[in-house]
Amino acid sequence: MTIAVRAVQPSDEAVWIELRHALYGDVRQVHVEEVRSFLDGSFRWPWGALLAVEEERPVGLVELSIRPCAEGCGTTDVAYLEGWYVRLEARGRGVGRALLRAAE
């Protein structure tokens, strides 16, 4: 099966919230607020999110940021993988690898 990776789009709001909730758990309303603020451009971090799609079905997600610093890194403005999730039924088929390659 072919895995396509692309930047999240406004039409991905519901699935992004679903995947985010599966990854982080926590309070769903927080995910709704953060996803909506990202999509409207008001989120405070200069970050991005990529969605893996297999046969038109979203199967994975990475969330990325640029942090001012990171543990073990001597430079500033560090690219950082904030979150990485692949649906259980899609694991072991290269979805996570495709997401990481696209994130690089």
Side-chain angles (χ1 to χ4, degrees):
M1 294 187 189
T2 303
I3 301 161
V5 178
R6 61 172 173 74
V8 296
Q9 303 165 3
S11 61
D12 298 320
E13 180 181 320
V15 74
W16 186 8
I17 291 166
E18 174 194 343
L19 292 172
R20 206 167 198 258
H21 186 68
L23 172 61
Y24 298 116
D26 301 320
V27 180
R28 192 172 190 86
Q29 187 57 36
V30 171
H31 302 306
V32 170
E33 291 169 9
E34 289 183 356
V35 165
R36 286 183 179 162
S37 67
F38 172 85
L39 292 171
D40 74 16
S42 65
F43 200 68
R44 64 184 173 92
W45 285 98
W47 63 294
L50 302 173
L51 198 62
V53 179
E54 188 176 65
E55 294 185 9
E56 298 184 37
R57 182 171 186 263
V59 292
L61 169 75
V62 291
E63 294 183 341
L64 310 161
S65 73
I66 298 177
R67 290 187 173 193
C69 61
E71 186 176 327
C73 188
T75 61
T76 59
D77 296 333
V78 179
Y80 197 84
L81 180 67
E82 294 289 344
W84 178 29
Y85 182 77
V86 175
R87 291 183 193 269
L88 186 60
E89 68 274 10
R91 294 178 186 173
R93 297 199 314 254
V95 174
R97 186 173 328 141
L99 283 164
L100 290 180
R101 283 188 184 141
E104 289 177 342

